[in-house]
Amino acid sequence: MIKNYFKIAWRNLIRNKAFSFINVAGLSIGLACCMLIILFTKDELSYDRFHKQTDNLYHLTCSVTEKDGSTSKYALASQIQGPSFMAEIPEIESCVRLHERDYIVKNGSETVYENASFVDDNFFTVFSFPLLDGDPKAVLSDPRSIVISEEISKKYFGDEHPVGKTMELEIDNNFEIFTVTGVAKNAPQNSSIKFNMLLPFKYLVAKNPDDHWLNLSYPTYFVIKENANLKNIETKMEQIFASKAGKEISEERKYGFDATFKYGIQPFASMHLNTEYLYRTAPSNPWFSYILSGIALFIMAIACINFINLTIAQSLRRSKELGIRKIIGSERKQLIFQFLGESAFICSFAFVTALLLVQLSLPVFNELSDKNLALNYLFDRQLMMGYLALFLITVFIAGFYPAMVITRFQPTTTLKQQIKLNGKNYLSKGLIVFQFAITTFMVISTLIIYKQFNFLTKTNLGYNDQNLLIVSVGQDANQNFQKIYKSEFEKIPGIKSVAIRQNGFWATGSRVKDKEIPVVIEHVDESYLPTLEIDLVAGRNFSNTFASDTIDAVMVNEAYVREAGWQSNGVGETIDFFNGSDRKLQVIGVVKDYFYDGLRNNIKPQLFHMQTGGLYGRFLLRIDPNYRVKILDQIQKLYQTLSPNRPFRYDYMDDLNLQKYESEAKWKQIITLSAILMIFVSSIGLFGLAMLTINQRTKEIGIRKVLGASLFEISNGLSKNYISLVCFAMVFAIPAAYFVATKWLENFANRITISWWFFFLGSLFVLVITLLTVSYQAIKAALMNPVNSLKTE
């Protein structure tokens, strides 16, 4: 009997090619999306769980509450806190500190930037990173030792055995020699801590000791005894901090410091999906998994809805078969089993096709999700069970309800082919409304995301970031060196202007009378504003003709003037305290507000200072785009002449600004692709359903044509039911899209205004797709010869 069922299933699959394609294509896309999300989610949940001591590993955190009540959470500590807490809290068994940055490595006559981390000696006994060569307990015991990854070993030593060989790294402007004492396997992709080279933390402490308790620079990890009371540990931390840092805090309060520090511990394995802590290594927003899972389930739901509607509608063609089977003695449960078997048969085709789609789409998916997933990477028992469960659930959802509906028909009705599906049929209509509500929601969301992304990337920032080249140089403290660089840059044809700025982002405190004002510092020269084409709203720019400009003169932005509450335009006003010093600073100019940190955040008070011997090091070059290649070539030659031991690196300001919105760019691509898939799956389902409905009404169409109905009247009559359902779906989609878009836009300090046209265009687009999908079948039926239509049974 089972063999007979499979034969019938195969014949139906071949005979009804269009419907078979619709079902298999829809289910394949839905299953492929679900499989990709299972891969993604399992990888996210597996982060950092390969360490043997995972259950006892914790990350030291710090919450800093400012005077105004605002709190910032950091996954950082100072050099001294980890060892101090471990020494005085018995529950803490081990402590590992980490300091990561890029260093220059000398490779023969060449120099390159490589990422390296200083870690404590016990790094390989606390974390389970396998060593290919070396003793985990002693590999970092020597201050001049270095452990490299497989990748670095291959890059610098080829097939040679690297242990015992040396490497040169530039530290504090001097090249230091380190001996390779071990080779580690490349860190797994589901590891928060990734490394190329590891150096002993004791070397960093000896070279740059720091016993300040208020500095936050180093990720710190603890191994805590099992069953330890975490609240008690945090209480002890607060007591130790209050005791050890009390004097330092008192000294800082003399200069306006009034923040409170609170230390805590978080399970290490849970930190990957925790984005509330700043400077956490490789955090991932769990909402990414939730939204992707929701999208996959929606696409899967639409595919199953298509399957249910088409299977029920297509049962009309098999009404005689059902009637005969019932008359000759088939029980209802046997027929249900037959239809579930056919559903499993089709789902099997879809499942195999989905696996092929997953393999083909993985490169694109990896790029969008910043992963390196592969089917075999996560093909373990749990994943196979998950795929099997997904398959069985799909078979049940797609096959059970149609089987129940179809087998309920009476034999006399089925043999006479009097089954009609054009009644109320609330469930089928409800399913159509549901799938098009989701589709409309996604299309509207895509339009809003596109508009916000364009706003972020094309809005005038208040300065010109086009053709602005950024080159950083070493020897920050050498003012003469900077002057030589600037002078030589200005001689290169095609460079219009050159400005100097400090490297990095600096912030500190200031005070105007009794008001504390946090401020962003810009150490610049007199060419900074003209080069970036930033306007002054009052006063003047820095000038070398005024000796005082390098001592007590500053410029501020409009946000600072507003925050200070000055009634004047700000020029001539005095800042009483700045960066821990009581010296008075006079405002000589007010800079027009510009989005120095991008449009994600509001513009904060900003202070510009031209400091003699300042720590600059970053050059901003306004260049002629027509000579870009020649300019870069000459800059590189000059750089290699003046800084032969430093690799040449450069950036364009507009590229750096775009990088700030990488997350939004990826979301734009993901939502757009999801909307396209939903439209495709919904449309092919509607196409098939319209085809079956029109086939059922073939004789009716012929009679209407004979009675004089026009082409428009016939096609309109066949289409209007579906159009009304899609319009009804928009009643649910539009409020949902408005609510979600409003919540999403709250993440941006500067954002678009949600306008009615987003919803109008999104709804109109879905309506047009629906019209095209249904009208094709309707017009085709209306053009049929009525003679042939009236012969149809």
Side-chain angles (χ1 to χ4, degrees):
M1 183 179 292
I2 294 176
K3 183 178 179 181
N4 177 257
Y5 288 162
F6 275 108
K7 280 185 178 180
I8 294 171
W10 174 251
R11 288 170 183 169
N12 282 318
L13 199 67
I14 297 301
R15 185 182 301 119
N16 303 298
K17 294 182 178 64
F19 301 110
S20 299
F21 170 78
I22 290 171
N23 280 330
V24 172
L27 288 174
S28 298
I29 292 172
L31 284 166
C33 290
C34 288
M35 289 177 183
L36 287 171
I37 301 311
I38 289 174
L39 283 169
F40 179 88
T41 304
K42 192 172 189 304
D43 181 69
E44 288 286 275
L45 295 175
S46 70
Y47 254 75
D48 300 318
R49 298 187 183 276
F50 59 88
H51 298 293
K52 294 178 182 178
Q53 302 190 78
T54 295
D55 294 338
N56 300 323
L57 271 172
Y58 291 83
H59 198 145
L60 179 60
T61 64
C62 180
S63 299
V64 181
T65 303
E66 302 292 345
K67 186 178 180 179
D68 61 2
S70 62
T71 299
S72 299
K73 297 182 177 182
Y74 299 90
L76 299 172
S78 68
Q79 250 187 44
I80 197 171
Q81 283 155 356
S84 297
F85 288 151
M86 185 180 68
E88 300 196 33
I89 302 176
E91 293 91 336
I92 299 177
E93 293 182 339
S94 302
C95 166
V96 175
R97 295 162 294 178
L98 188 146
H99 177 66
E100 180 185 4
R101 57 165 286 187
D102 287 345
Y103 290 91
I104 296 174
V105 178
K106 186 177 287 188
N107 184 22
S109 60
E110 296 181 353
T111 55
V112 294
Y113 280 101
E114 293 287 0
N115 184 264
S117 300
F118 285 95
V119 296
D120 281 301
D121 301 8
N122 58 345
F123 179 82
F124 286 104
T125 58
V126 169
F127 298 105
S128 302
F129 294 109
L131 281 172
L132 299 175
D133 202 336
D135 180 0
K137 296 180 180 178
V139 74
L140 289 167
S141 58
D142 190 304
R144 292 278 181 171
S145 60
I146 182 171
V147 176
I148 60 177
S149 66
E150 286 180 277
E151 183 181 344
I152 293 295
S153 175
K154 192 76 175 175
K155 180 177 179 179
Y156 286 90
F157 301 104
D159 295 329
E160 296 181 22
H161 187 246
V163 174
K165 298 184 182 297
T166 60
M167 298 184 71
E168 290 186 73
L169 280 72
E170 186 201 49
I171 299 176
D172 295 339
N173 295 322
N174 293 312
F175 279 95
E176 305 287 349
I177 297 175
F178 295 87
T179 302
V180 178
T181 54
V183 179
K185 289 189 69 174
N186 293 329
Q189 71 168 23
N190 58 345
S191 173
S192 295
I193 299 175
K194 293 183 172 69
F195 56 87
N196 289 328
M197 298 183 291
L198 298 175
L199 302 160
F201 202 89
K202 64 176 68 172
Y203 175 90
L204 183 65
V205 173
K207 199 168 186 66
N208 298 303
D210 184 1
D211 60 357
H212 292 88
W213 281 78
L214 302 183
N215 290 346
L216 298 175
S217 301
Y218 307 96
T220 303
Y221 309 96
F222 292 142
V223 176
I224 293 178
K225 292 179 180 178
E226 289 187 27
N227 303 320
N229 189 312
L230 303 183
K231 290 292 182 184
N232 287 344
I233 293 174
E234 291 179 342
T235 301
K236 291 177 183 179
M237 285 180 178
E238 290 185 36
Q239 294 170 351
I240 295 169
F241 178 77
S243 172
K244 301 280 188 180
K247 185 178 179 180
E248 189 177 335
I249 292 172
S250 299
E251 288 294 322
E252 291 295 327
R253 281 181 177 163
K254 294 177 183 178
Y255 301 103
F257 175 83
D258 198 23
T260 58
F261 286 62
K262 184 176 181 180
Y263 286 88
I265 49 177
Q266 288 285 326
F268 179 62
S270 69
M271 291 295 281
H272 175 69
L273 294 174
N274 189 326
T275 57
E276 62 179 327
Y277 292 93
L278 301 173
Y279 304 106
R280 173 74 176 101
T281 305
S284 178
N285 195 329
W287 278 103
F288 200 78
S289 297
Y290 301 151
I291 293 173
L292 286 177
S293 299
I295 289 171
L297 290 175
F298 281 149
I299 294 175
M300 191 69 213
I302 291 172
C304 288
I305 289 169
N306 289 341
F307 189 96
I308 290 170
N309 283 334
L310 288 176
T311 302
I312 293 173
Q314 199 178 357
S315 65
L316 300 175
R317 294 187 173 186
R318 302 179 63 183
S319 56
K320 285 188 178 181
E321 174 196 339
L322 291 172
I324 292 171
R325 283 185 179 277
K326 282 194 171 186
I327 287 174
I328 63 177
S330 290
E331 296 181 3
R332 190 182 183 194
K333 63 181 180 181
Q334 290 177 307
L335 295 174
I336 291 174
F337 180 76
Q338 175 189 347
F339 279 97
L340 281 174
E342 291 182 13
S343 173
F345 190 71
I346 293 173
C347 288
S348 298
F349 273 95
F351 198 83
V352 173
T353 307
L355 286 173
L356 295 174
L357 289 176
V358 168
Q359 190 63 42
L360 291 172
S361 60
L362 265 177
V364 176
F365 184 77
N366 284 335
E367 183 179 349
L368 290 175
S369 61
D370 288 326
K371 295 284 186 182
N372 189 25
L373 302 174
L375 279 177
N376 57 358
Y377 166 63
L378 291 172
F379 245 98
D380 55 16
R381 182 186 301 176
Q382 289 181 337
L383 191 67
M384 292 300 294
M385 294 300 294
Y387 284 165
L388 179 61
L390 178 63
F391 173 75
L392 294 176
I393 291 170
T394 305
V395 170
F396 182 78
I397 292 175
F400 183 73
Y401 177 75
M404 295 294 293
V405 172
I406 294 168
T407 57
R408 193 178 57 198
F409 298 145
Q410 295 299 319
T412 54
T413 305
T414 56
L415 287 173
K416 293 178 180 179
Q417 291 186 314
Q418 293 177 346
I419 301 172
K420 300 292 181 183
L421 293 175
N422 55 346
K424 293 182 179 180
N425 200 15
Y426 290 129
L427 180 63
S428 181
K429 292 178 180 178
L431 293 176
I432 293 173
V433 169
F434 176 74
Q435 67 178 348
F436 275 95
I438 296 171
T439 303
T440 306
F441 170 84
M442 290 300 296
V443 172
I444 294 171
S445 300
T446 301
L447 290 175
I448 293 173
I449 290 173
Y450 259 87
K451 187 65 176 177
Q452 176 64 13
F453 184 76
N454 287 339
F455 174 79
L456 293 173
T457 55
K458 295 181 180 179
T459 297
N460 185 359
L461 298 173
Y463 71 96
N464 185 2
D465 66 346
Q466 301 297 306
N467 303 311
L468 193 60
L469 186 66
I470 301 172
V471 178
S472 296
V473 301
Q475 305 180 34
D476 292 342
N478 190 330
Q479 190 178 17
N480 291 328
F481 185 75
Q482 295 166 11
K483 288 182 178 179
I484 293 170
Y485 251 116
K486 183 173 183 179
S487 175
E488 294 298 321
F489 279 145
E490 289 173 337
K491 295 177 184 177
I492 297 175
I495 294 182
K496 299 178 179 180
S497 61
V498 181
I500 308 177
R501 179 192 180 274
Q502 90 270 4
N503 273 312
F505 184 85
W506 292 13
T508 188
S510 68
R511 185 167 61 239
V512 175
K513 296 181 180 179
D514 295 327
K515 188 170 186 178
E516 302 289 339
I517 303 176
V519 64
V520 174
I521 310 173
E522 298 285 350
H523 289 297
V524 300
D525 68 353
E526 73 281 358
S527 303
Y528 183 77
L529 296 184
T531 299
L532 270 70
E533 300 177 12
I534 300 171
D535 296 329
L536 276 169
V537 294
R540 65 174 177 84
N541 187 17
F542 293 125
S543 173
N544 288 324
T545 60
F546 294 91
S548 60
D549 280 7
T550 61
I551 302 172
D552 57 7
V554 295
M555 294 188 295
V556 296
N557 65 348
E558 293 174 291
Y560 195 102
V561 175
R562 290 192 297 270
E563 189 68 22
W566 290 326
Q567 296 302 313
S568 65
N569 60 15
V571 176
E573 297 286 355
T574 301
I575 296 173
D576 302 316
F577 171 88
F578 171 66
N579 199 28
S581 173
D582 285 324
R583 67 181 175 137
K584 307 291 184 181
L585 299 174
Q586 187 177 30
V587 178
I588 64 168
V590 177
V591 177
K592 186 176 179 61
D593 281 344
Y594 67 97
F595 293 97
Y596 57 87
D597 193 31
L599 288 155
R600 187 187 294 276
N601 303 310
N602 283 322
I603 299 172
K604 296 178 181 178
Q606 197 176 14
L607 186 146
F608 301 82
H609 192 219
M610 189 170 74
Q611 182 179 357
T612 302
L615 300 177
Y616 296 117
R618 171 174 286 194
F619 287 86
L620 298 100
L621 315 174
R622 175 73 62 191
I623 67 170
D624 186 337
N626 297 318
Y627 302 98
R628 177 174 292 192
V629 176
K630 290 182 179 179
I631 291 170
L632 280 174
D633 184 57
Q634 292 184 63
I635 289 175
Q636 184 170 4
K637 290 178 181 177
L638 173 63
Y639 194 95
Q640 290 170 346
T641 301
L642 296 178
S643 302
N645 290 325
R646 298 182 67 86
F648 175 63
R649 291 202 300 191
Y650 67 91
D651 292 291
Y652 284 101
M653 181 65 81
D654 54 347
D655 290 339
L656 293 179
N657 285 335
L658 280 176
Q659 288 175 16
K660 295 175 182 177
Y661 311 117
E662 284 184 347
S663 175
E664 286 73 27
K666 291 185 184 299
W667 274 115
K668 182 185 75 169
Q669 293 174 303
I670 289 170
I671 298 300
T672 302
L673 181 60
S674 302
I676 291 171
L677 289 176
M678 287 186 182
I679 290 170
F680 174 74
V681 175
S682 298
S683 297
I684 61 174
L686 194 61
F687 182 87
L689 195 60
M691 186 189 298
L692 285 170
T693 304
I694 289 168
N695 286 342
Q696 183 186 358
R697 298 174 65 181
T698 302
K699 184 176 286 187
E700 174 194 337
I701 293 168
I703 294 172
R704 287 182 181 276
K705 287 197 73 173
V706 169
L707 294 176
S710 66
L711 175 66
F712 174 78
E713 289 173 333
I714 294 173
S715 60
N716 182 58
L718 295 171
S719 305
K720 66 181 181 180
N721 288 335
Y722 295 106
I723 300 302
S724 61
L725 290 176
V726 173
C727 290
F728 188 58
M730 294 171 186
V731 175
F732 300 96
I734 290 173
Y738 178 81
F739 175 78
V740 173
T742 302
K743 289 295 182 183
W744 179 70
L745 288 172
E746 287 176 359
N747 294 314
F748 304 92
N750 301 278
R751 52 185 177 265
I752 60 171
T753 301
I754 299 179
S755 178
W756 62 270
W757 68 264
F758 291 119
F759 308 100
F760 175 76
L761 285 182
S763 301
L764 181 64
F765 179 78
V766 174
L767 200 58
V768 168
I769 294 295
T770 305
L771 274 170
L772 293 174
T773 302
V774 177
S775 297
Y776 172 79
Q777 290 294 334
I779 293 171
K780 182 181 176 182
L783 291 173
M784 287 178 61
N785 189 329
V787 176
N788 296 329
S789 301
L790 292 172
K791 290 179 180 179
T792 304
E793 288 295 334

